[in-house]
Each structure stands twice: as structure tokens, then as C-alpha cells.
Coordinates of all heavy atoms in Angstrom, one line a residue:
M1 N 20.0 5.0 11.2 CA 19.1 4.5 12.2 C 19.3 5.6 13.4 O 20.3 6.1 13.6 CB 19.4 3.1 12.7 CG 19.2 2.0 11.9 SD 19.6 0.5 12.6 CE 18.7 -0.6 11.6
T2 N 18.1 5.8 13.9 CA 18.1 6.6 15.2 C 17.4 5.8 16.3 O 17.2 4.5 16.1 CB 17.4 8.0 15.0 OG1 16.0 7.6 14.9 CG2 17.9 8.7 13.9
G3 N 17.0 6.3 17.2 CA 16.2 5.5 18.4 C 15.0 4.9 17.9 O 14.6 3.8 18.5
S4 N 14.3 5.3 16.9 CA 13.1 4.7 16.4 C 12.8 4.8 15.0 O 11.8 4.3 14.5 CB 11.9 5.5 17.2 OG 11.8 6.8 16.9
C5 N 13.8 5.4 14.2 CA 13.6 5.6 12.8 C 14.7 5.2 12.0 O 15.9 5.0 12.6 CB 13.3 7.1 12.5 SG 11.8 7.7 13.3
W6 N 14.5 4.9 10.6 CA 15.6 4.4 9.7 C 15.4 5.1 8.5 O 14.2 5.5 8.1 CB 15.6 2.9 9.5 CG 14.3 2.4 9.0 CD1 13.1 2.1 9.5 CD2 14.1 2.3 7.6 NE1 12.3 1.8 8.7 CE2 12.9 1.7 7.3 CE3 14.9 2.3 6.5 CZ2 12.3 1.5 6.2 CZ3 14.4 2.0 5.2 CH2 13.1 1.6 5.1
C7 N 16.4 5.2 7.7 CA 16.2 5.6 6.3 C 17.4 5.1 5.5 O 18.4 4.7 6.0 CB 16.0 7.1 6.0 SG 17.6 8.0 6.4
V8 N 17.3 5.0 4.2 CA 18.2 4.5 3.2 C 18.1 5.4 2.0 O 17.0 5.7 1.5 CB 18.1 3.0 3.0 CG1 16.8 2.6 2.3 CG2 19.4 2.5 2.2
T9 N 19.3 5.7 1.5 CA 19.3 6.5 0.2 C 20.4 5.8 -0.7 O 21.4 5.5 -0.3 CB 19.8 7.9 0.4 OG1 18.8 8.5 1.2 CG2 19.8 8.7 -0.9
G10 N 20.0 5.6 -2.0 CA 20.9 5.0 -3.0 C 21.1 6.0 -4.1 O 20.2 6.5 -4.6
A11 N 22.3 6.3 -4.4 CA 22.7 7.3 -5.5 C 23.6 6.6 -6.6 O 24.3 5.7 -6.3 CB 23.3 8.5 -5.0
D12 N 23.4 7.1 -7.8 CA 24.2 6.7 -8.9 C 25.7 7.1 -8.6 O 25.8 8.3 -8.4 CB 23.8 7.2 -10.2 CG 24.6 6.7 -11.4 OD1 25.7 7.1 -11.4 OD2 24.0 6.1 -12.2
S13 N 26.7 6.3 -8.5 CA 28.0 6.7 -8.2 C 28.6 7.5 -9.3 O 29.6 8.3 -8.8 CB 28.8 5.4 -7.9 OG 28.9 4.6 -9.1
N14 N 28.2 7.5 -10.5 CA 28.7 8.4 -11.5 C 28.2 9.8 -11.5 O 28.9 10.7 -11.8 CB 28.6 7.7 -12.9 CG 29.4 6.4 -13.0 OD1 30.6 6.4 -12.6 ND2 28.8 5.4 -13.6
T15 N 26.9 9.9 -11.3 CA 26.2 11.1 -11.4 C 25.9 11.8 -10.1 O 25.6 13.0 -10.1 CB 24.9 11.0 -12.2 OG1 24.0 10.2 -11.6 CG2 25.3 10.4 -13.7
G16 N 25.8 11.0 -9.1 CA 25.2 11.6 -7.9 C 23.8 11.7 -7.7 O 23.1 12.1 -6.7
V17 N 23.0 11.3 -8.8 CA 21.5 11.4 -8.7 C 21.1 10.3 -7.9 O 21.4 9.2 -7.8 CB 21.1 11.3 -10.2 CG1 19.5 11.2 -10.2 CG2 21.6 12.5 -11.1
V18 N 20.1 10.8 -7.0 CA 19.4 9.7 -6.0 C 18.6 8.8 -6.9 O 17.7 9.3 -7.6 CB 18.6 10.5 -5.0 CG1 17.8 9.6 -4.2 CG2 19.5 11.3 -4.1
I19 N 18.9 7.4 -6.7 CA 18.0 6.5 -7.4 C 16.7 6.1 -6.6 O 15.6 5.8 -7.0 CB 18.8 5.3 -7.6 CG1 19.9 5.7 -8.5 CG2 18.0 4.1 -8.3 CD1 21.1 4.6 -8.7
Y20 N 17.0 6.0 -5.2 CA 15.9 5.7 -4.3 C 16.2 6.3 -2.8 O 17.4 6.5 -2.5 CB 15.6 4.2 -4.1 CG 16.9 3.5 -3.5 CD1 17.1 3.4 -2.3 CD2 17.8 2.9 -4.4 CE1 18.1 2.6 -1.8 CE2 18.9 2.1 -3.9 CZ 19.1 2.0 -2.7 OH 20.2 1.4 -2.1
H21 N 15.2 6.6 -2.2 CA 15.2 7.1 -0.8 C 13.9 6.7 -0.2 O 12.8 7.0 -0.7 CB 15.4 8.7 -0.8 CG 15.4 9.1 0.6 ND1 16.4 9.0 1.4 CD2 14.4 9.7 1.3 CE1 16.2 9.5 2.6 NE2 15.0 10.1 2.6
H22 N 14.0 6.0 1.0 CA 12.8 5.7 1.7 C 13.2 5.4 3.2 O 14.4 5.2 3.5 CB 12.0 4.5 1.1 CG 12.9 3.4 0.8 ND1 13.5 3.1 -0.5 CD2 13.2 2.2 1.5 CE1 14.1 1.9 -0.6 NE2 14.0 1.4 0.7
G23 N 12.2 5.4 4.2 CA 12.4 5.1 5.4 C 11.2 5.0 6.3 O 10.0 5.1 5.7
G24 N 11.4 5.0 7.6 CA 10.1 4.9 8.4 C 10.6 4.5 9.8 O 11.6 5.0 10.4
T25 N 9.8 3.7 10.4 CA 9.9 3.2 11.8 C 10.4 1.8 12.0 O 10.3 1.0 10.9 CB 8.7 3.4 12.5 OG1 7.7 2.7 12.0 CG2 8.4 5.0 12.6
Y26 N 11.0 1.4 13.1 CA 11.4 0.1 13.2 C 11.0 -0.4 14.6 O 10.8 0.4 15.5 CB 12.9 -0.1 12.9 CG 13.8 0.4 13.9 CD1 14.1 -0.3 15.1 CD2 14.3 1.7 13.7 CE1 15.1 0.2 16.0 CE2 15.2 2.3 14.6 CZ 15.6 1.5 15.8 OH 16.4 2.1 16.5
A27 N 10.9 -1.7 14.9 CA 10.7 -2.4 16.1 C 11.8 -3.4 16.4 O 12.2 -4.1 15.3 CB 9.4 -2.9 16.4
L28 N 12.3 -3.6 17.6 CA 13.3 -4.7 17.8 C 12.8 -5.6 18.8 O 12.4 -5.1 19.9 CB 14.6 -3.9 18.2 CG 15.8 -4.8 18.4 CD1 16.1 -5.6 17.1 CD2 17.0 -4.0 18.9
K29 N 12.7 -6.9 18.5 CA 12.3 -7.8 19.5 C 13.2 -9.0 19.6 O 13.2 -9.8 18.7 CB 10.8 -8.4 19.0 CG 9.7 -7.3 19.0 CD 8.5 -8.0 18.4 CE 7.4 -6.9 18.3 NZ 6.3 -7.4 17.5
G30 N 14.2 -8.8 20.6 CA 15.2 -9.8 20.6 C 16.2 -9.6 19.4 O 16.6 -8.6 19.2
N31 N 16.3 -10.7 18.5 CA 17.1 -10.5 17.4 C 16.3 -10.4 16.1 O 16.8 -10.4 14.9 CB 18.2 -11.6 17.2 CG 17.5 -13.0 16.9 OD1 16.3 -13.2 17.1 ND2 18.3 -13.9 16.4
E32 N 14.9 -10.2 16.2 CA 14.1 -9.9 15.1 C 13.9 -8.4 15.1 O 13.5 -7.7 15.9 CB 12.8 -10.6 15.4 CG 11.8 -10.5 14.2 CD 10.5 -11.0 14.3 OE1 9.7 -10.6 15.2 OE2 10.3 -12.1 13.6
Y33 N 14.2 -7.9 13.9 CA 14.1 -6.5 13.6 C 13.0 -6.3 12.4 O 13.0 -7.0 11.5 CB 15.5 -6.1 13.0 CG 15.4 -4.7 12.4 CD1 15.5 -3.5 13.2 CD2 15.6 -4.5 10.9 CE1 15.5 -2.2 12.5 CE2 15.7 -3.2 10.4 CZ 15.6 -2.2 11.2 OH 15.7 -1.0 10.7
L34 N 12.0 -5.5 12.8 CA 10.9 -5.1 11.9 C 11.0 -3.8 11.3 O 10.9 -2.8 12.2 CB 9.5 -5.5 12.5 CG 9.4 -6.9 13.0 CD1 9.0 -7.0 14.4 CD2 8.4 -7.7 12.3
E35 N 10.9 -3.6 10.1 CA 11.0 -2.3 9.5 C 9.9 -1.9 8.7 O 9.5 -2.7 7.8 CB 12.3 -2.4 8.6 CG 13.0 -1.1 8.1 CD 14.2 -1.5 7.4 OE1 14.3 -1.9 6.2 OE2 15.3 -1.4 8.0
T36 N 9.2 -0.8 8.9 CA 8.0 -0.4 8.4 C 8.3 0.9 7.6 O 8.9 1.8 8.0 CB 6.9 -0.1 9.3 OG1 6.5 -1.3 10.0 CG2 5.6 0.4 8.5
V37 N 8.0 0.8 6.2 CA 8.3 1.9 5.3 C 7.1 3.0 5.5 O 6.1 2.7 5.3 CB 8.4 1.5 3.9 CG1 8.7 2.7 2.9 CG2 9.5 0.4 3.6
E38 N 7.5 4.2 5.9 CA 6.4 5.3 6.0 C 6.5 6.3 5.0 O 5.5 7.0 4.7 CB 6.8 6.0 7.4 CG 6.9 5.1 8.5 CD 5.6 4.7 9.2 OE1 4.5 5.4 8.9 OE2 5.5 3.8 9.8
Y39 N 7.8 6.5 4.2 CA 7.8 7.4 3.3 C 8.8 6.8 2.1 O 9.6 6.0 2.5 CB 8.2 8.9 3.7 CG 9.5 8.8 4.4 CD1 10.6 8.9 3.7 CD2 9.7 8.6 5.7 CE1 12.0 8.9 4.3 CE2 10.9 8.6 6.4 CZ 12.0 8.8 5.7 OH 13.3 8.7 6.3
A40 N 8.7 7.5 1.0 CA 9.5 7.0 -0.2 C 9.5 8.0 -1.2 O 8.6 8.8 -1.4 CB 9.0 5.7 -0.7
N41 N 10.6 8.1 -2.0 CA 10.6 9.0 -3.2 C 9.8 8.1 -4.3 O 9.4 7.1 -4.2 CB 11.8 9.3 -3.8 CG 12.8 8.2 -4.2 OD1 12.6 7.0 -4.1 ND2 13.8 8.6 -5.1
E42 N 9.6 8.8 -5.6 CA 8.7 8.2 -6.6 C 9.2 6.9 -7.0 O 8.3 5.9 -7.3 CB 9.0 9.1 -7.7 CG 7.8 9.0 -8.8 CD 7.8 10.0 -9.8 OE1 7.4 11.3 -9.5 OE2 8.1 9.7 -11.1
S43 N 10.4 6.4 -7.0 CA 10.8 5.2 -7.5 C 10.6 3.9 -6.6 O 10.6 2.9 -6.9 CB 12.4 5.1 -7.8 OG 13.1 5.2 -6.5
T44 N 10.2 4.2 -5.2 CA 9.9 3.2 -4.3 C 8.6 3.4 -3.5 O 8.4 2.8 -2.4 CB 11.0 2.9 -3.3 OG1 11.4 4.2 -2.6 CG2 12.4 2.4 -4.0
T45 N 7.7 4.0 -4.1 CA 6.4 4.4 -3.4 C 5.6 2.9 -3.1 O 4.9 2.9 -2.3 CB 5.4 5.3 -4.1 OG1 5.2 4.8 -5.4 CG2 6.1 6.7 -4.2
N46 N 5.9 2.0 -3.9 CA 5.2 0.7 -3.7 C 5.6 0.1 -2.4 O 4.9 -0.9 -1.9 CB 5.7 -0.3 -4.9 CG 7.2 -0.5 -5.0 OD1 7.9 0.4 -4.9 ND2 7.4 -1.8 -4.9
L47 N 6.6 0.5 -1.7 CA 7.0 -0.1 -0.4 C 6.3 0.6 0.7 O 6.3 0.0 1.8 CB 8.5 0.2 -0.2 CG 9.4 -0.5 -1.2 CD1 11.0 -0.1 -0.9 CD2 9.3 -2.1 -1.4
I48 N 5.7 1.7 0.5 CA 4.9 2.4 1.7 C 3.9 1.5 2.4 O 3.2 0.8 1.6 CB 4.3 3.7 1.1 CG1 5.5 4.7 0.8 CG2 3.5 4.4 2.3 CD1 5.1 6.0 0.1
K49 N 3.9 1.5 3.6 CA 3.0 0.7 4.5 C 3.4 -0.7 4.5 O 2.7 -1.5 5.2 CB 1.6 0.9 4.1 CG 1.1 2.4 4.3 CD -0.3 2.6 4.2 CE -0.6 4.0 4.3 NZ -2.1 4.3 4.1
Q50 N 4.4 -1.1 3.9 CA 5.0 -2.5 4.0 C 5.9 -2.6 5.1 O 6.7 -1.8 5.5 CB 5.7 -3.0 2.8 CG 4.7 -3.1 1.6 CD 5.3 -3.8 0.4 OE1 5.9 -4.9 0.6 NE2 5.3 -3.2 -0.7
T51 N 5.9 -3.8 5.9 CA 6.7 -4.1 7.0 C 7.5 -5.3 6.5 O 7.1 -6.3 6.1 CB 6.0 -4.5 8.3 OG1 5.3 -3.2 8.7 CG2 6.9 -4.8 9.4
F52 N 8.9 -5.1 6.7 CA 9.8 -6.2 6.4 C 10.6 -6.8 7.6 O 10.8 -6.0 8.5 CB 10.9 -5.7 5.4 CG 10.2 -5.2 4.0 CD1 9.9 -3.8 3.9 CD2 9.9 -6.0 3.1 CE1 9.3 -3.3 2.8 CE2 9.2 -5.6 2.0 CZ 9.0 -4.3 1.7
K53 N 10.7 -8.2 7.6 CA 11.4 -8.8 8.8 C 12.7 -9.2 8.4 O 13.2 -9.6 7.5 CB 10.6 -10.0 9.2 CG 9.3 -9.8 9.8 CD 8.7 -11.2 10.2 CE 7.3 -10.9 10.9 NZ 6.8 -12.3 11.3
F54 N 13.6 -9.1 9.6 CA 15.0 -9.4 9.5 C 15.5 -10.0 10.7 O 14.9 -9.8 11.8 CB 15.9 -8.3 9.3 CG 15.5 -7.4 8.0 CD1 14.5 -6.4 8.1 CD2 16.2 -7.6 6.9 CE1 14.1 -5.6 7.0 CE2 15.9 -6.8 5.7 CZ 14.8 -5.8 5.8
T55 N 16.5 -10.9 10.7 CA 17.2 -11.3 12.0 C 18.5 -10.3 11.9 O 19.0 -9.9 10.9 CB 17.6 -12.6 12.0 OG1 18.4 -13.0 10.9 CG2 16.4 -13.5 12.0
I56 N 18.8 -10.0 13.2 CA 20.2 -9.1 13.2 C 21.2 -9.9 14.2 O 20.8 -10.5 15.0 CB 19.8 -7.8 13.8 CG1 19.1 -7.8 15.2 CG2 19.0 -7.1 12.7 CD1 19.0 -6.4 15.7
K57 N 22.4 -9.5 13.9 CA 23.5 -10.0 14.8 C 24.6 -9.0 14.9 O 24.9 -8.4 13.8 CB 23.9 -11.4 14.2 CG 25.1 -12.0 14.8 CD 25.6 -13.3 14.1 CE 25.6 -13.2 12.6 NZ 26.3 -14.4 12.1
V58 N 25.1 -8.9 16.0 CA 26.2 -7.9 16.2 C 27.4 -8.7 16.8 O 27.3 -9.4 17.7 CB 25.9 -6.8 17.1 CG1 27.1 -5.8 17.4 CG2 24.8 -5.9 16.7
E59 N 28.5 -8.7 15.9 CA 29.6 -9.4 16.4 C 30.9 -8.4 16.3 O 31.2 -8.0 15.1 CB 30.0 -10.6 15.5 CG 28.9 -11.7 15.7 CD 29.2 -12.9 14.7 OE1 29.4 -12.6 13.7 OE2 29.2 -14.0 15.1
G60 N 31.3 -8.0 17.4 CA 32.4 -6.9 17.4 C 32.0 -5.7 16.7 O 31.1 -5.1 17.1
D61 N 32.7 -5.3 15.6 CA 32.3 -4.1 15.0 C 31.4 -4.3 13.7 O 31.2 -3.5 12.9 CB 33.7 -3.4 14.3 CG 34.4 -2.8 15.5 OD1 33.8 -2.6 16.6 OD2 35.7 -2.5 15.3
T62 N 30.9 -5.4 13.7 CA 30.1 -5.8 12.5 C 28.6 -6.1 12.7 O 28.3 -6.9 13.8 CB 30.6 -7.2 11.9 OG1 32.0 -6.8 11.4 CG2 29.8 -7.5 10.5
F63 N 27.7 -5.4 12.1 CA 26.2 -5.6 12.2 C 25.7 -6.3 10.9 O 26.0 -5.8 9.8 CB 25.6 -4.1 12.4 CG 24.1 -4.2 12.3 CD1 23.3 -4.5 13.5 CD2 23.4 -3.9 11.1 CE1 21.9 -4.5 13.5 CE2 22.1 -3.9 11.1 CZ 21.3 -4.2 12.3
T64 N 25.0 -7.4 11.2 CA 24.4 -8.1 10.0 C 22.9 -8.2 10.1 O 22.4 -8.4 11.2 CB 24.9 -9.6 10.0 OG1 26.4 -9.6 9.9 CG2 24.4 -10.4 8.8
Q65 N 22.3 -7.8 9.2 CA 20.7 -7.8 8.9 C 20.4 -8.7 7.9 O 20.8 -8.4 6.7 CB 20.4 -6.3 8.7 CG 19.0 -6.1 8.5 CD 18.6 -4.7 8.2 OE1 19.2 -3.7 8.8 NE2 17.7 -4.3 7.3
A66 N 19.7 -9.8 8.1 CA 19.4 -10.8 7.2 C 17.9 -10.9 6.9 O 17.1 -11.1 7.9 CB 19.9 -12.2 7.6
G67 N 17.4 -10.8 5.7 CA 16.1 -10.7 5.4 C 15.4 -12.2 5.7 O 15.9 -13.1 5.4
I68 N 14.2 -12.0 6.2 CA 13.3 -13.1 6.4 C 12.1 -12.9 5.5 O 11.2 -12.1 5.6 CB 12.7 -13.2 7.8 CG1 13.9 -13.3 8.9 CG2 11.8 -14.4 8.0 CD1 13.5 -13.1 10.4
G69 N 12.0 -13.8 4.5 CA 10.9 -13.7 3.4 C 11.1 -12.5 2.6 O 10.1 -12.0 1.9
N70 N 12.4 -11.8 2.5 CA 12.6 -10.8 1.6 C 14.1 -11.0 1.1 O 14.9 -11.6 1.9 CB 12.4 -9.4 2.2 CG 13.3 -9.1 3.3 OD1 14.5 -8.8 3.1 ND2 12.7 -9.0 4.5
P71 N 14.6 -10.3 0.0 CA 15.9 -10.7 -0.4 C 17.0 -9.8 0.1 O 18.1 -9.8 -0.3 CB 15.8 -10.4 -2.0 CG 14.8 -9.3 -2.1 CD 13.8 -9.5 -0.9
W72 N 16.6 -8.9 1.1 CA 17.6 -7.8 1.5 C 18.4 -8.3 2.8 O 18.0 -8.5 3.9 CB 16.9 -6.6 1.9 CG 16.2 -6.1 0.7 CD1 16.8 -5.7 -0.5 CD2 14.8 -5.8 0.5 NE1 15.8 -5.3 -1.4 CE2 14.6 -5.3 -0.8 CE3 13.8 -6.1 1.4 CZ2 13.4 -5.0 -1.3 CZ3 12.5 -5.9 0.8 CH2 12.3 -5.3 -0.5
T73 N 19.7 -8.6 2.5 CA 20.8 -8.9 3.5 C 21.8 -7.9 3.4 O 22.3 -7.5 2.3 CB 21.2 -10.3 3.4 OG1 20.3 -11.2 3.6 CG2 22.4 -10.5 4.5
E74 N 22.1 -7.3 4.6 CA 23.2 -6.3 4.6 C 24.1 -6.6 5.8 O 23.8 -7.1 6.9 CB 22.5 -4.8 4.9 CG 21.5 -4.4 3.9 CD 20.9 -3.2 4.2 OE1 21.0 -2.6 5.4 OE2 20.1 -2.6 3.5
V75 N 25.5 -6.2 5.5 CA 26.5 -6.4 6.6 C 27.1 -4.9 6.7 O 27.5 -4.5 5.6 CB 27.5 -7.4 6.1 CG1 28.6 -7.5 7.1 CG2 26.8 -8.8 5.9
W76 N 27.2 -4.5 7.8 CA 27.7 -3.0 8.0 C 28.9 -3.2 9.0 O 28.9 -4.0 10.0 CB 26.7 -2.2 8.7 CG 25.6 -1.9 7.8 CD1 24.4 -2.5 7.6 CD2 25.3 -0.7 6.9 NE1 23.6 -2.0 6.7 CE2 24.1 -0.9 6.3 CE3 26.2 0.2 6.6 CZ2 23.8 0.0 5.3 CZ3 25.8 1.2 5.7 CH2 24.5 1.1 5.0
K77 N 29.9 -2.6 8.8 CA 31.1 -2.6 9.7 C 31.4 -1.2 10.2 O 31.4 -0.1 9.4 CB 32.5 -3.0 8.9 CG 33.5 -3.3 9.8 CD 34.5 -4.3 9.2 CE 35.7 -4.6 10.1 NZ 35.5 -5.6 11.1
R78 N 31.6 -1.1 11.5 CA 31.8 0.3 12.1 C 33.0 1.0 11.6 O 34.1 0.2 11.6 CB 31.9 0.1 13.6 CG 31.9 1.4 14.4 CD 32.1 1.1 15.9 NE 31.0 0.3 16.4 CZ 30.2 0.8 17.2 NH1 30.3 1.9 17.9 NH2 29.3 0.0 17.7
A79 N 33.1 2.3 11.3 CA 34.1 3.0 10.8 C 34.9 3.3 11.9 O 34.5 3.5 13.1 CB 33.7 4.2 10.1
K80 N 36.3 3.2 11.8 CA 37.1 3.6 12.9 C 37.9 4.9 12.6 O 38.1 5.2 11.5 CB 38.3 2.4 13.1 CG 37.6 1.1 13.5 CD 38.5 0.1 13.8 CE 37.8 -1.1 14.3 NZ 38.7 -2.2 14.8

């Protein structure tokens, strides 16, 4: 994440081959996070122009992003 953009890349842990890569812009309204896919590699082009909603929560060193109407929930912990 940057000030206005996000991206995610997933690779096969055995081969290092990229399985998916996509990203775009986001908006934050209170604890509601909206993510719009602007670009994608061949495996996830179906996501382009879609917007996904999440609720977010920051507790200490942990960031939780829970999908609203989508199956994606992520928990990130700050590296020390």
C-alpha cells in the first residue's frame, strides 16, 4: 500500500512463478476500506474495474482487513 494505491502478488513457493498480480486504487472512509482493481495479470483480469469492500482494524502491530460481501480476510503483523 502507498498513499493511494495497492497491489498484491502471489507466487508458487516451490518455483517462484507468479500466479497472480493485480492492484489499483483505494479509498478509506472511517473503518471502511474500498479497493478498486485497475490492472491485473492474465490470471485475474476478471477483477479489473471491480471494487471490493472491507472493514479494517488496527490493534497495536496488527492490521486486519475483513471482506464485506467477498471472501477475502487478511491479517498483517508489522515486522520488527
Side-chain angles (χ1 to χ4, degrees):
M1 288 182 166
T2 67
S4 62
C5 297
W6 65 276
C7 71
V8 63
T9 302
D12 182 297
S13 60
N14 293 318
T15 65
V17 173
V18 172
I19 299 166
Y20 61 85
H21 176 78
H22 49 268
T25 56
Y26 70 88
L28 186 58
K29 298 175 184 175
N31 71 337
E32 184 179 72
Y33 171 72
L34 300 128
E35 195 170 83
T36 301
V37 180
E38 307 276 339
Y39 60 87
N41 73 338
E42 198 170 290
S43 68
T44 55
T45 56
N46 61 309
L47 300 177
I48 294 173
K49 297 187 180 181
Q50 291 190 53
T51 298
F52 299 96
K53 288 184 180 183
F54 303 86
T55 57
I56 60 169
K57 176 174 56 172
V58 178
E59 292 178 313
D61 290 342
T62 304
F63 172 84
T64 303
Q65 174 180 319
I68 300 172
N70 67 67
W72 300 297
T73 294
E74 300 173 356
V75 178
W76 295 86
K77 188 151 180 91
R78 184 183 304 241
K80 294 182 180 188

